[in-house]
Structure formats: structure tokens, C-alpha cells
């Protein structure tokens, strides 16, 4: 690319970005005008989310079941036919799978095809990416205008969204300021935490009784113990929905097996999330990642009704069930009486690949929007972006101020 073409492209981007004061400040800090010319042939380091090893084949009905006012939800979305024969994960150690494990490493967030990018290149790539996924903070007026006359429902991931990603998942504590922000917003809009963690664990981390909790990627749902009095929708407190309860003994077996088989690998953390088992390799030496994947693969040979997915530095074993965070959002909207309503605006904020199911549901149903939390460019089904947990808290506080202004 010639220097003239480069400067024309850069100038065009700057004209778009200067309209936003937030991005203008970022441009100033990044000194984008000093980008070296010989770097312009590099493609922007956009991260593609790793894909699951296989696509599940399911024998269950697609529709969401109605909310049960009796306090017990129907348990019909169970697997009714075997998924696949043992051995379907023989490709778990393929190059593509190991590359997927490596791609979620913070060490590789600013690499592309083995080439390191300068900080200026990364800043430019991020700013270009934000043209497609604009900041939810600088776009808040647009979001507020879209919310006028509508009922907002807020859905939040936990790790990486309300609390920073940490080396020890048991120490993923949210700040007091973040807890206060979530408590305040829950006074005005129905608010749910949808996490891959077990419901009990994430509820303990958050420590708020005013919220809806959906643990195990939405396979364990609980209504608030103390629903906020400002909400117009009433849901019986404490009602549970566990579409994967049939799998609980199996998940317990897998957890015990994985703890035993990985106990000699330094840094491995196997987490029991009730209807999911998470194998964290964030603190494992990269030369041992193949061994971790092999051990998980060997264990899963005995459980053809379970599937393996991949998150941020974690391998996750889950039931072969047509249920994910998107289905959890759909179910909660149905339970709240907010489904198929033109005056409802669902907002989902999350940072992980598993949150893409919720982003996709909102985008395809054209009823709300997702906000991706990411410090680096990444393809997503979200509409907006936030850089980190501090911006998430600022966005939540902005929602509170907006609701106060219109009530």
C-alpha cells in the first residue's frame, strides 16, 4: 500500500473518530500519526473466537417452556437420544484445537500469524474495530433514545464483566463499587447474572438478593429472594429451572475423574460448576496444554452425552443439551412476561465466547443488543463494546442515571 493511500485511509478514519471525544482522546494518547509506514501491509489483528470441536446433534424441542407458577419448571428439554458414540473427540489434539487454546491466551491477544504488532498498530486496529462496535459509553445517548418508552431488562456475565479475570478463579471478587452499581440498577430494571459458574458460587460472589441468577451457562436459574418493589413484573421468589438436572450424577463423576487425572499437572484448576465442569489452564505451562487436552479427551470418551467447549483459558464439559446463555435470556424474558413485546429493550453485557449465544439471540430476534467487553479487537454478534470492568461499571451507573431522569 502506498503512503498516499495509507494517509487517505488514516485521514478518513480520523474524521469519523474525531466526532467522538472519547475516541479522540484515545487517538491523542496513542500517537497514531507516528505509525511506521512499513507496517501498513499488516491486517488488523482481529481475533476470531474458537469454535467448538463438534456441533451437537439434539433430540429435543426448540421452544422455550412456559414459566411455572407452581414453583417447579417442566424438565422436558432432556436429551432423548444418544448424541454420538464414544470417540467423537479424537480430533481434540488437532492443530486447530490447540491453536484455539492458544488464541485465548492474553499472551497472544496482540499477535497475528506469529507477528508482534507495535502498540501504535494495536491502538489503530482497536480504533478501527470500534467503528464497527462503538463504545456503549460514547453511544449512550443513542442507547437512551432507543430505550425511551421501553422497559429495559439487563443481563450481565460475571467473570471479565463484573469482576476482572484473575489467575485463581476462586479469587474473582467484584469491587464494592461494582456491587453498589448493580444493586442500584436492579432497583429500576430486572437484572440477571448469567454465568458459567455454578449458581450458588456466583450468587455468593455477587451477594445481592435482588437479582435473577442463572448459573452453569443458564442451566440453573433462580428468581430473586427479594424482588425490587419498583418492578412491574412479579415472579415467585426462589423458583428454579434446571433443564439439565438429569445430568447431575454424570457431571459429578466427570468432576471427580478430571480432578484425579490432572492432579499432577502444575497449575490446573478443575472447577465444579454443577451442570458444567471447567478445566482452567491459565496457570499451566504452555508445553503442558496438550497433555491437559489429552486428559480431558480421554475422560470424555466414556461420556458420549457430554460435549467439550472452549472459553477464555478454560475447557468446559457440558451436557449435550440445546441450552445456552441465549436460551437462558429467552427463558427469563418469557418468565418476566417481557417476551414478544415491542416495548422491551433487553441489554446483555459479556466478555466470553459463551456470551455470543446471547448476543446472537438478541441480534437475530431484533429485540435488543449485546455489549462485548474486550480490550482487543474480536469478531462478535454484539452491537456495542466496552473495554474493561471499569467501563462496565460506568455504563451501569449511566443506566441508573437515565432511569432516574425518566421516572
Amino acid at each position: 500500500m502506498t503512503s498516499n493511500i495509507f494517509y487517505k485511509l488514516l485521514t478518513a478514519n480520523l474524521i469519523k473518530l474525531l466526532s467522538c471525544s472519547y475516541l479522540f482522546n484515545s487517538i491523542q494518547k496513542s500517537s497514531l500519526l507516528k505509525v511506521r509506514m512499513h507496517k501498513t501491509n499488516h491486517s488488523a489483528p482481529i481475533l476470531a473466537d474458537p469454535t467448538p470441536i463438534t456441533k451437537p446433534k439434539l433430540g429435543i424441542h426448540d421452544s422455550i417452556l412456559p414459566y411455572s407458577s407452581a414453583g417447579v419448571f417442566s424438565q422436558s428439554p432432556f436429551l432423548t437420544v444418544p448424541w454420538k458414540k464414544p470417540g467423537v473427540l479424537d480430533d481434540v489434539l488437532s492443530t486447530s484445537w490447540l491453536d484455539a487454546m492458544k488464541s485465548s491466551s492474553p499472551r497472544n491477544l496482540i499477535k497475528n500469524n506469529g507477528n508482534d504488532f507495535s502498540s501504535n498498530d494495536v491502538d489503530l486496529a482497536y480504533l478501527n474495530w470500534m467503528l464497527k462496535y462503538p463504545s456503549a459509553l460514547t453511544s449512550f445517548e443513542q442507547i437512551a433514545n432507543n430505550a425511551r418508552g421501553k422497559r429495559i431488562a439487563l443481563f450481565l456475565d460475571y467473570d471479565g464483566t463484573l469482576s476482572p479475570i484473575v489467575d485463581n478463579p476462586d479469587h474473582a471478587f467484584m469491587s464494592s463499587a461494582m456491587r453498589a452499581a448493580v444493586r442500584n440498577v436492579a432497583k429500576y430494571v430486572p437484572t440477571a447474572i448469567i454465568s458459567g459458574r455454578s449458581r450458588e458460587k456466583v450468587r455468593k460472589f455477587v451477594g445481592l438478593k435482588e437479582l435473577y441468577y442463572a448459573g452453569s451457562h443458564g442451566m440453573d436459574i433462580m428468581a430473586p429472594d427479594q424482588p425490587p418493589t419498583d418492578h412491574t413484573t412479579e415472579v415467585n421468589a426462589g423458583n428454579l429451572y434446571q433443564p439439565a438436572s438429569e445430568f447431575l450424577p454424570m457431571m459429578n463423576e466427570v468432576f471427580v475423574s478430571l480432578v484425579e487425572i490432572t492432579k499432577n499437572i502444575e497449575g490446573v484448576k478443575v472447577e465444579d460448576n454443577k451442570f458444567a465442569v471447567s478445566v482452567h489452564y491459565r496457570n499451566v505451562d504452555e508445553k503442558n496444554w496438550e497433555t491437559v487436552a489429552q486428559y480431558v479427551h480421554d475422560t470424555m470418551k466414556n461420556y458420549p452425552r457430554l460435549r467439550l467447549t472452549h472459553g477464555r483459558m478454560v475447557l468446559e464439559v457440558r451436557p449435550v443439551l440445546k441450552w445456552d446463555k441465549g436460551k437462558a435470556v429467552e427463558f427469563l424474558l418469557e418468565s418476566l412476561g417481557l417476551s414478544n413485546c415491542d416495548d422491551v429493550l433487553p441489554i446483555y453485557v459479556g466478555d466470553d465466547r459463551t456470551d455470543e449465544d446471547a448476543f446472537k439471540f438478541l441480534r437475530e430476534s431484533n429485540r435488543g443488543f449485546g455489549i462485548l467487553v474486550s480490550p482487543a479487537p474480536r469478531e462478535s454478534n454484539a452491537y456495542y463494546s466496552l473495554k474493561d470492568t471499569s467501563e462496565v461499571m460506568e455504563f451501569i451507573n449511566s443506566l441508573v442515571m437515565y432511569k432516574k431522569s425518566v421516572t
Side-chain angles (χ1 to χ4, degrees):
M1 181 182 291
T2 65
S3 60
N4 287 337
I5 294 175
F6 172 77
Y7 278 115
K8 287 180 179 179
L9 291 175
L10 184 57
T11 301
N13 283 333
L14 288 173
I15 291 173
K16 295 178 181 178
L17 295 172
L18 287 174
S19 62
C20 171
S21 60
Y22 176 83
L23 293 179
F24 178 58
N25 290 333
S26 299
I27 294 170
Q28 289 179 314
K29 293 177 182 178
S30 302
S31 301
L32 295 178
L33 296 178
K34 297 181 181 179
V35 177
R36 296 187 302 273
M37 292 303 301
H38 72 274
K39 289 279 190 175
T40 58
N41 288 326
H42 288 162
S43 59
I46 303 296
L47 301 181
D49 284 315
T51 55
I53 297 174
T54 54
K55 294 179 69 175
K57 295 181 179 179
L58 301 152
I60 55 177
H61 198 272
D62 291 346
S63 62
I64 294 294
L65 299 176
Y67 181 84
S68 171
S69 60
V72 179
F73 298 109
S74 171
Q75 302 294 311
S76 68
F78 292 142
L79 185 70
T80 57
V81 294
W83 175 40
K84 285 189 176 183
K85 296 179 181 180
V88 297
L89 299 177
D90 288 338
D91 62 345
V92 71
L93 297 181
S94 67
T95 301
S96 61
W97 184 245
L98 288 178
D99 285 345
M101 293 175 71
K102 293 176 182 179
S103 71
S104 72
S105 167
R107 293 182 288 255
N108 297 313
L109 287 178
I110 60 172
K111 289 186 178 181
N112 186 47
N113 297 324
N115 296 318
D116 287 318
F117 287 82
S118 71
S119 60
N120 283 338
D121 290 328
V122 174
D123 288 339
L124 178 58
Y126 190 80
L127 293 173
N128 281 328
W129 175 76
M130 289 186 73
L131 295 175
K132 183 177 180 181
Y133 306 98
S135 167
L137 293 178
T138 57
S139 303
F140 190 81
E141 183 177 354
Q142 177 184 352
I143 295 172
N145 289 336
N146 195 34
R148 293 194 185 282
K150 296 182 180 180
R151 293 171 289 172
I152 298 174
L154 181 62
F155 303 92
L156 302 163
D157 180 35
Y158 183 75
D159 293 276
T161 301
L162 297 181
S163 73
I165 297 294
V166 294
D167 290 340
N168 186 342
D170 291 335
H171 296 163
F173 305 116
M174 64 190 301
S175 67
S176 298
M178 180 69 85
R179 183 173 291 105
V182 175
R183 179 188 291 113
N184 288 335
V185 78
K187 295 176 182 178
Y188 296 96
V189 303
T191 303
I193 309 294
I194 303 181
S195 172
R197 302 258 195 172
S198 69
R199 175 175 55 82
E200 294 89 347
K201 187 173 295 183
V202 73
R203 188 170 182 266
K204 183 177 180 180
F205 273 134
V206 176
L208 298 175
K209 298 180 178 180
E210 305 94 326
L211 309 181
Y212 299 80
Y213 290 95
S216 305
H217 301 286
M219 287 183 282
D220 190 5
I221 300 176
M222 182 179 184
D225 291 337
Q226 298 176 355
T229 56
D230 292 353
H231 292 185
T232 57
T233 304
E234 292 186 5
V235 177
N236 293 336
N239 280 324
L240 298 174
Y241 183 48
Q242 297 178 337
S245 59
E246 175 186 309
F247 290 86
L248 193 54
M250 190 183 303
M251 299 309 300
N252 289 333
E253 288 181 14
V254 170
F255 171 70
V256 172
S257 297
L258 288 175
V259 169
E260 178 63 25
I261 199 171
T262 62
K263 66 181 181 182
N264 293 323
I265 301 178
E266 185 177 358
V268 167
K269 169 71 175 178
V270 182
E271 186 177 13
D272 180 6
N273 287 315
K274 195 166 184 175
F275 296 107
V277 176
S278 301
V279 182
H280 300 271
Y281 57 91
R282 180 175 299 274
N283 298 318
V284 177
D285 192 306
E286 190 169 327
K287 67 183 180 182
N288 294 324
W289 288 3
E290 183 173 343
T291 304
V292 174
Q294 182 66 64
Y295 284 168
V296 176
H297 161 63
D298 291 344
T299 300
M300 290 193 66
K301 284 183 177 180
N302 300 318
Y303 300 94
R305 296 182 69 192
L306 301 180
R307 64 187 175 117
L308 182 61
T309 60
H310 184 254
R312 290 181 64 176
M313 302 293 288
V314 62
L315 299 174
E316 294 188 300
V317 179
R318 290 193 263 170
V320 176
L321 192 71
K322 197 166 185 179
W323 197 266
D324 52 38
K325 291 185 176 182
K327 287 293 186 182
V329 170
E330 188 176 2
F331 176 81
L332 284 166
L333 289 173
E334 182 78 21
S335 301
L336 289 163
L338 302 177
S339 182
N340 300 319
C341 299
D342 294 335
D343 65 340
V344 174
L345 182 68
I347 300 173
Y348 189 104
V349 187
D351 76 304
D352 197 43
R353 192 193 69 80
T354 57
D355 299 310
E356 290 295 329
D357 295 317
F359 296 156
K360 184 178 180 181
F361 163 70
L362 293 179
R363 179 180 284 271
E364 292 183 347
S365 62
N366 195 30
R367 64 176 69 187
F369 51 81
I371 301 175
L372 174 65
V373 183
S374 178
R378 196 176 85 198
E379 290 299 327
S380 176
N381 284 300
Y383 280 98
Y384 298 100
S385 68
L386 293 168
K387 198 165 188 177
D388 51 30
T389 56
S390 65
E391 290 197 352
V392 172
M393 184 169 66
E394 187 176 348
F395 176 79
I396 293 174
N397 286 331
S398 296
L399 275 181
V400 173
M401 296 299 294
Y402 164 74
K403 291 300 295 183
K404 285 182 177 180
S405 70
V406 297
T407 54

